[in-house]
Amino acid sequence: MILYNAHIVSHSIELERGYVEIEEGKISRITKGFPNIVAGTDIDCEGAYIFPGFVDTHIHGGNGVDTMDADEKAFKILCDYEYSHGVTTFFPTTVTASFERTMNVLKVLKELKDKEGFENIGGVHLEGPFLDRKKVGAQNPSFVSSLDEDELRRWFSLKIVKSITYALAADPENRIPVLCEEYGVKPSIGHSDATFEEFERCYALGVRHLTHFCNGMSGLHHRHVGLVGAGLLYDDVYVEIIADRVHLNDQMLRLIAKVKEPSRVIFITDAIRASGMKDGEYELGGLKVRVVKGEARLSDGTLAGSTLTMEKAVRNYNDVTKLPLRTCVDAATYNPAEFYGLKNIGDIRVGMQADLVICDAQTLKVLKTIKRGNIVFQWIDGVP
Amino acid sequence: MILYNAHIVSHSIELERGYVEIEEGKISRITKGFPNIVAGTDIDCEGAYIFPGFVDTHIHGGNGVDTMDADEKAFKILCDYEYSHGVTTFFPTTVTASFERTMNVLKVLKELKDKEGFENIGGVHLEGPFLDRKKVGAQNPSFVSSLDEDELRRWFSLKIVKSITYALAADPENRIPVLCEEYGVKPSIGHSDATFEEFERCYALGVRHLTHFCNGMSGLHHRHVGLVGAGLLYDDVYVEIIADRVHLNDQMLRLIAKVKEPSRVIFITDAIRASGMKDGEYELGGLKVRVVKGEARLSDGTLAGSTLTMEKAVRNYNDVTKLPLRTCVDAATYNPAEFYGLKNIGDIRVGMQADLVICDAQTLKVLKTIKRGNIVFQWIDGVP
């Protein structure tokens, strides 16, 4: 299959008029200009962008379903919803819950991963339950707990967990980075009121990631720079960004763009069940969430995840920061793939897995999504 | 007079072994190597640094005296104290007080300026009284007021005021930048809880300066980035920095060094009467200040100016940020001279006024201060 008449934008290559050839689920050729012959199965992109498929490493749910539903049908809906927004790899993300409930989610996902129709499940992100009550955000406080090493080992042993968000307050001995190292999981600090100096203890153990940067963490004060200061100061620390222009305002996005190494910014949606749905009342981890104009909040006004989609995140960041589109695309593709060591995805290079998304050249609306060379979503006028 | 065997560091030139020749109060030659002949009046710097004389545009007092004392003897003590710390130009800075009291300070200074022994008085910085009660800091709240345009015109008419710190809250119609333009005074936002958007209204009127950046102003939140956000985002806005490692901690200094254009950083001491004195009780604008280990605070713990000196500011910033010494020296010399349009000072160039400071190569201790070619201070073992 050849995708031609396209504007290819990825970490390794940008071609204004080019084409991508796919053979056996892999990218076999990337060339400037037009192919000599095109077959009926080839796709005229009509000047649209081709990006690597998006990678969303922090997403709870969408289209009415949630990771915690732990149900095959729900995950099928979620996988398809993700494809419809160009996401060819995602980490279903848990919320703080009982040991058994989390275990059940992991078992169901372990079963489904790589099954036909679920190929975009790339692993699991555990958000909690080892968090700081002071920065609980929209996590259910009833299940926030201190580290139980045995429980964590049992979760990790299933070999489906890719990352865990934790707070030093719940793990004062800082065991989690050590366990993560043992099981090949990436630790990330989040929902944490840690000081800059406390963060440095985690940094010394290899922690290089902050969950939804600025949200649910100790802010910047000029005599206590906190986790926000740590994210801004340490060039090699990756920061998750919810670029919905709600969680962080435009000036903050600009400041991040100004200060952070672009290669260390990772877009996430942190999307919940309400994403892709109408405004109204929804549930998150047993808490009631009200969505008004796409903003999801608890009754006290606390932001409770988002209704963001990845193509929108790329567009927002590009609009607000004026960083090159290629840099913004990296934050949704290459950067997370690099951080999580996801080989063969996140870029457009010969030999890589053909995970691609075709987006409208003006709006970035997702027109087609391709997973391992197969079209898994296409937008048809008015009927997405 | 020739100053030889020196390490010359200034905005325009850095020479590791060089000499500076002074004729009729001006720099007449700057050369690498050693002079052919030296006279008895010439000075062997023995490898010490020569910097441009320091410029401190925000300093209340020192050595037991304060600008508000409005007394010739007090100002003589202050001028000499400043010389002893290498400051060849300073703006005695008022605190919030009654109209008459401020007027009196200005009249006394108008009289003294350029009188023999007072040559380092470069103009006045009015800190208040048009400030925001929400960010009053160690200013006496009894005298904080809304703009009285007539009063301000009468102060400005004396042509001694160089800068004014104000808050939009006290001047909602934003008249101060307009009046500043008319009288050639530099407006600066400080002691202000203004939002980023409010700052932009001032910016549109030409305001490019923030008083003691981060201290006494709206902090950075990821959805309300405030004046701290404005200072970090706008490359062309100058920020005053109190580099005593108390007002801003080391991480914050590093973050500023990382984010700000170096040419837009201006060191100030914000020193008070207690600077150069022993720990104990002092007065600032009618408020009681307690100094412990050099930190000056009100009884509620609010920082109340500093006991910092300029050579220490240069050293601290250099130590903490690892920026080149030359960049740090600029922040104490060239940058304020540029911002305030002080011609002929702040740099070492042929034809400029010979305002120089000789500092120990290891500690930066001030060894000699030269104002318009005259030695106005020299350090003699144990008897500064």
Side-chain angles (χ1 to χ4, degrees):
Chain A
M1 180 166 65
I2 299 174
L3 313 178
Y4 63 98
N5 194 11
H7 184 161
I8 301 163
V9 177
S10 74
H11 184 77
S12 294
I13 199 163
E14 175 158 10
L15 288 176
E16 266 209 49
R17 288 277 141 149
Y19 64 93
V20 175
E21 198 170 337
I22 299 169
E23 286 178 337
E24 294 174 6
K26 289 187 176 174
I27 296 166
S28 57
R29 179 197 271 247
I30 310 153
T31 307
K32 205 168 166 59
F34 288 83
N36 289 330
I37 307 167
V38 292
T41 53
D42 296 336
I43 296 167
D44 181 353
C45 297
E46 299 176 323
Y49 286 114
I50 298 181
F51 303 137
F54 298 133
V55 178
D56 188 355
T57 57
H58 187 157
I59 176 228
H60 298 284
N63 220 0
V65 301
D66 188 284
T67 298
M68 301 309 288
D69 296 349
D71 172 82
E72 177 166 346
K73 274 186 200 154
F75 281 120
K76 186 73 192 88
I77 291 168
L78 189 55
C79 288
D80 287 345
Y81 180 66
E82 290 302 285
Y83 281 140
S84 77
H85 290 287
V87 177
T88 51
T89 301
F90 74 102
F91 296 172
T93 303
T94 60
V95 290
T96 288
S98 69
F99 168 76
E100 288 304 339
R101 195 163 169 214
T102 301
M103 195 66 182
N104 185 43
V105 171
L106 296 179
K107 283 179 176 165
V108 171
L109 280 163
K110 170 102 183 154
E111 194 77 12
L112 291 175
K113 192 171 176 292
D114 295 319
K115 232 176 117 171
E116 205 183 310
F118 298 88
E119 289 91 348
N120 54 347
I121 295 173
V124 178
H125 177 170
L126 293 177
E127 192 177 8
F130 312 125
L131 305 177
D132 186 340
R133 286 175 188 280
K134 284 189 201 147
K135 293 286 179 188
V136 72
Q139 293 274 355
N140 193 331
S142 322
F143 298 104
V144 167
S145 72
S146 288
L147 172 64
D148 182 318
E149 193 170 322
D150 176 59
E151 288 187 357
L152 189 60
R153 282 185 183 279
R154 285 162 70 194
W155 290 334
F156 280 2
S157 296
L158 290 176
K159 298 193 175 171
I160 177 98
V161 176
K162 287 281 185 189
S163 72
I164 179 167
T165 292
Y166 82 102
L168 200 53
D171 177 26
E173 290 174 38
N174 225 347
R175 287 285 301 153
I176 291 178
V178 180
L179 295 169
C180 281
E181 181 77 28
E182 191 179 329
Y183 289 90
V185 174
K186 290 286 184 184
S188 180
I189 303 291
H191 290 281
S192 167
D193 202 34
T195 65
F196 180 87
E197 291 72 20
E198 286 168 342
F199 173 77
E200 287 191 312
R201 287 174 48 206
C202 304
Y203 182 90
L205 291 174
V207 178
R208 293 290 185 277
H209 197 274
L210 292 168
T211 297
H212 42 51
F213 185 55
C214 298
N215 303 116
M217 62 175 59
S218 43
L220 184 94
H221 179 277
H222 46 278
R223 287 188 289 275
H224 313 280
V225 301
L227 290 170
V228 171
L232 294 176
L233 273 168
Y234 276 103
D235 280 340
D236 58 347
V237 168
Y238 285 78
V239 293
E240 285 186 358
I241 300 288
I242 308 174
D244 62 354
R245 306 176 70 169
V246 176
H247 281 75
L248 306 170
N249 79 354
D250 289 359
Q251 281 82 33
M252 193 67 211
L253 291 176
R254 284 186 197 114
L255 185 60
I256 292 167
K258 183 175 179 182
V259 179
K260 280 303 289 181
E261 279 291 307
S263 64
R264 296 301 186 267
V265 171
I266 292 179
F267 294 155
I268 56 160
T269 62
D270 199 11
I272 61 166
R273 192 188 293 283
S275 180
M277 306 287 282
K278 284 187 291 196
D279 282 0
E281 281 199 358
Y282 295 89
E283 172 273 347
L284 177 70
L287 303 176
K288 203 191 285 180
V289 172
R290 192 165 180 81
V291 180
V292 179
K293 292 184 184 168
E295 291 182 21
R297 293 178 189 273
L298 302 184
S299 59
D300 68 359
T302 303
L303 282 166
S306 86
T307 60
L308 183 64
T309 56
M310 282 301 263
E311 79 278 22
K312 189 84 183 145
V314 172
R315 172 133 190 228
N316 284 343
Y317 204 67
N318 182 231
D319 280 354
V320 171
T321 67
K322 312 294 179 205
L323 286 177
L325 180 62
R326 195 170 172 182
T327 304
C328 301
V329 167
D330 272 359
T333 58
Y334 186 80
N335 300 350
E338 276 287 297
F339 178 71
Y340 291 100
L342 306 172
K343 306 292 181 199
N344 292 319
I345 65 159
D347 199 358
I348 300 180
R349 284 207 311 271
V350 169
M352 289 191 104
Q353 194 167 297
D355 284 10
L356 301 166
V357 55
I358 303 174
C359 288
D360 181 89
Q362 270 70 52
T363 62
L364 297 193
K365 187 175 69 178
V366 173
L367 303 174
K368 283 189 174 62
T369 306
I370 290 155
K371 178 73 185 176
R372 296 180 191 164
N374 299 311
I375 297 172
V376 285
F377 167 79
Q378 55 189 322
W379 192 85
I380 298 155
D381 269 357
V383 190
Chain B
M1 180 166 65
I2 299 174
L3 313 177
Y4 63 99
N5 194 11
H7 185 161
I8 302 164
V9 177
S10 73
H11 185 75
S12 294
I13 198 163
E14 175 157 9
L15 288 176
E16 267 210 49
R17 285 279 143 148
Y19 64 93
V20 175
E21 200 170 336
I22 299 169
E23 285 179 338
E24 294 175 6
K26 289 184 176 174
I27 296 165
S28 57
R29 180 196 269 248
I30 309 153
T31 308
K32 206 166 164 60
F34 287 84
N36 289 330
I37 308 169
V38 293
T41 53
D42 297 336
I43 296 166
D44 181 352
C45 296
E46 299 177 324
Y49 287 115
I50 299 181
F51 304 137
F54 298 134
V55 179
D56 188 355
T57 57
H58 187 157
I59 177 230
H60 298 283
N63 220 359
V65 301
D66 187 285
T67 299
M68 301 310 287
D69 295 349
D71 174 81
E72 179 166 345
K73 274 188 201 152
F75 281 121
K76 186 72 192 90
I77 292 169
L78 190 54
C79 287
D80 287 344
Y81 181 65
E82 290 302 287
Y83 282 140
S84 78
H85 290 287
V87 176
T88 50
T89 301
F90 73 103
F91 296 172
T93 302
T94 60
V95 291
T96 290
S98 70
F99 168 76
E100 288 305 340
R101 193 161 172 215
T102 302
M103 195 67 180
N104 185 43
V105 172
L106 296 180
K107 283 179 177 165
V108 171
L109 281 164
K110 170 102 181 151
E111 195 76 11
L112 292 176
K113 194 174 176 291
D114 295 319
K115 233 176 117 169
E116 205 183 310
F118 297 89
E119 291 91 346
N120 55 347
I121 294 174
V124 178
H125 177 169
L126 293 177
E127 191 178 7
F130 312 125
L131 305 178
D132 187 340
R133 286 175 189 281
K134 284 188 200 146
K135 292 287 179 187
V136 74
Q139 294 275 354
N140 193 331
S142 322
F143 297 104
V144 167
S145 72
S146 289
L147 172 64
D148 182 317
E149 194 170 321
D150 176 58
E151 289 187 356
L152 189 60
R153 281 185 184 278
R154 286 164 68 195
W155 290 334
F156 280 3
S157 296
L158 291 176
K159 300 194 172 166
I160 178 98
V161 177
K162 287 281 185 187
S163 72
I164 179 167
T165 292
Y166 82 102
L168 200 53
D171 177 26
E173 289 174 38
N174 225 346
R175 288 284 301 153
I176 291 178
V178 180
L179 295 170
C180 282
E181 181 77 30
E182 192 180 329
Y183 289 90
V185 174
K186 290 286 183 184
S188 180
I189 303 292
H191 288 282
S192 167
D193 201 36
T195 63
F196 180 86
E197 291 72 20
E198 285 167 342
F199 174 78
E200 287 191 313
R201 287 175 46 206
C202 305
Y203 182 90
L205 292 174
V207 178
R208 294 288 184 279
H209 197 273
L210 292 168
T211 297
H212 43 48
F213 186 54
C214 297
N215 302 117
M217 63 175 58
S218 42
L220 185 94
H221 180 277
H222 46 280
R223 286 188 290 275
H224 314 280
V225 301
L227 290 170
V228 171
L232 293 176
L233 273 168
Y234 276 103
D235 280 340
D236 58 348
V237 168
Y238 285 78
V239 294
E240 284 185 0
I241 300 289
I242 308 174
D244 62 353
R245 305 177 71 169
V246 176
H247 281 76
L248 307 170
N249 79 355
D250 289 358
Q251 281 82 35
M252 194 66 212
L253 291 176
R254 285 186 196 114
L255 185 60
I256 291 167
K258 183 175 179 182
V259 179
K260 280 303 288 181
E261 280 292 307
S263 64
R264 295 301 186 266
V265 171
I266 292 178
F267 294 155
I268 57 160
T269 61
D270 199 9
I272 62 167
R273 195 188 291 282
S275 180
M277 305 286 282
K278 282 189 291 195
D279 282 1
E281 280 200 1
Y282 296 89
E283 172 274 348
L284 177 70
L287 303 176
K288 202 191 283 178
V289 172
R290 193 165 179 80
V291 179
V292 179
K293 292 184 184 170
E295 293 182 20
R297 294 178 189 272
L298 303 184
S299 59
D300 68 358
T302 303
L303 282 167
S306 87
T307 60
L308 183 62
T309 56
M310 282 303 263
E311 79 277 22
K312 189 81 183 151
V314 172
R315 170 131 194 229
N316 284 343
Y317 204 68
N318 183 232
D319 280 354
V320 171
T321 68
K322 311 293 178 206
L323 285 178
L325 180 61
R326 195 169 172 182
T327 304
C328 301
V329 168
D330 272 359
T333 58
Y334 186 79
N335 300 349
E338 275 287 297
F339 178 72
Y340 291 101
L342 306 172
K343 306 291 181 202
N344 292 318
I345 65 160
D347 199 359
I348 300 181
R349 283 206 313 269
V350 170
M352 290 192 102
Q353 194 167 297
D355 286 9
L356 302 166
V357 55
I358 303 174
C359 289
D360 182 90
Q362 270 69 53
T363 62
L364 297 194
K365 187 175 67 179
V366 173
L367 303 175
K368 283 190 175 60
T369 306
I370 290 156
K371 176 74 184 174
R372 296 180 192 164
N374 300 311
I375 297 173
V376 286
F377 167 80
Q378 53 189 325
W379 192 85
I380 297 154
D381 267 357
V383 189

